[in-house]
Amino acid sequence: MKDSVIILSGGMDSTTLLYEMQERIALAVSFDYGSNHNAREIGYAKLHCRRLGIRHALIRLDFMHDYFKSSLLDGADAVPEGHYADDNMRSTVVPFRNGIMLSIATGIAESEGLKYVMMANHGGDHAIYPDCSPMFVKAMSEATKAGTYPGIEVLAPYTELTKADIARRGKDLGIDYSETWSCYKGGDKHCGKCGTCVERKEAMKEAGIDDPTEYED
């Protein structure tokens, strides 16, 4: 039964969730908020939705680029290099991004007569992104449930998983991760040095996947 909207970036995590939950997904929603890498991600989001026959919607959030402060919105040179565990990675936070996207997706779900909104946050996100934490997911789900007539809930099945766990699921599903985008710099190739590139490399290696990503380095 098609009962869900999914927030689909076009990265490894949300693409894996798209394939894993495809039988339940009525609509995939991508958001263009003006980040360095949005265009690269969204192209892959559209590709996978076409392949699976899932309806796709693109929503522009231009105000975030105009009013929010984040290195993801300030050009490739502003994005720090290193590991997510490094303190400088906090500059990549886009304030309350997931809260805004979940709110919009919830309104769409209610308008479409659907029951759930899916997101693909994971355990590695918690330390740096407050709007990926288990506490946030629980609170948002309570809010969407209370604030909609059908009692729409947030489904975030990867919240306690590592990115390597997700990559293993993708491997079992036969997903070609060369058709996903992670790099925060958004160049022609993955830079291989920013936090999300480093995390991508580590996850592939731990999952036993021959990394198909083309890196600048």
Side-chain angles (χ1 to χ4, degrees):
M1 181 178 176
K2 303 281 188 180
D3 60 3
S4 302
V5 171
I6 185 173
I7 296 175
L8 180 66
S9 70
M12 285 180 63
D13 310 321
S14 63
T15 299
T16 304
L17 188 60
L18 179 78
Y19 276 83
E20 188 169 15
M21 298 291 192
Q22 60 183 285
E23 298 302 323
R24 295 183 59 177
I25 296 170
L27 175 67
V29 181
S30 299
F31 294 95
D32 184 350
Y33 55 95
S35 74
N36 307 320
H37 61 300
N38 255 162
R40 303 304 306 269
E41 286 186 319
I42 290 167
Y44 287 122
K46 291 179 178 179
L47 180 152
H48 291 292
C49 285
R50 285 196 302 269
R51 185 173 293 162
L52 296 177
I54 293 173
R55 189 159 51 107
H56 179 262
L58 175 61
I59 296 176
R60 296 185 61 85
L61 301 176
D62 293 339
F63 71 90
M64 294 177 72
H65 184 273
D66 295 337
Y67 294 102
F68 289 18
K69 299 298 182 184
S70 170
S71 61
L72 296 194
L73 307 175
D74 290 338
D77 290 342
V79 175
E81 296 179 353
H83 197 279
Y84 266 145
D86 299 338
D87 288 341
N88 65 345
M89 289 301 159
R90 289 196 175 190
S91 75
T92 63
V93 172
V94 179
F96 207 61
R97 174 182 58 182
N98 286 341
I100 293 166
M101 293 179 180
L102 283 169
S103 297
I104 295 170
T106 297
I108 292 172
E110 184 164 15
S111 299
E112 294 278 338
L114 303 171
K115 178 66 176 172
Y116 301 99
V117 174
M118 295 182 180
M119 65 180 294
N121 59 304
H122 64 83
D125 295 330
H126 301 173
I128 189 169
Y129 300 117
D131 58 356
C132 290
S133 69
M135 182 170 63
F136 168 80
V137 171
K138 181 179 179 181
M140 279 299 295
S141 190
E142 289 296 325
T144 58
K145 194 173 179 180
T148 56
Y149 279 117
I152 292 169
E153 298 178 45
V154 176
L155 294 183
Y158 296 167
T159 300
E160 301 293 349
L161 301 183
T162 67
K163 198 176 190 78
D165 292 331
I166 296 169
R168 290 186 191 96
R169 293 189 179 200
K171 182 180 180 181
D172 291 342
L173 291 164
I175 296 173
D176 179 359
Y177 281 129
S178 70
E179 297 178 332
T180 63
W181 188 265
S182 298
C183 182
Y184 279 160
K185 296 193 177 187
D188 292 334
K189 301 177 183 179
H190 283 72
C191 74
K193 298 176 181 178
C194 69
T196 190
C197 277
V198 172
E199 183 189 46
R200 181 184 178 101
K201 288 180 178 180
E202 291 178 346
M204 297 267 201
K205 183 177 181 180
E206 189 175 337
I209 298 172
D210 290 331
D211 191 350
T213 311
E214 193 173 3
Y215 296 103
E216 288 181 355
D217 61 350

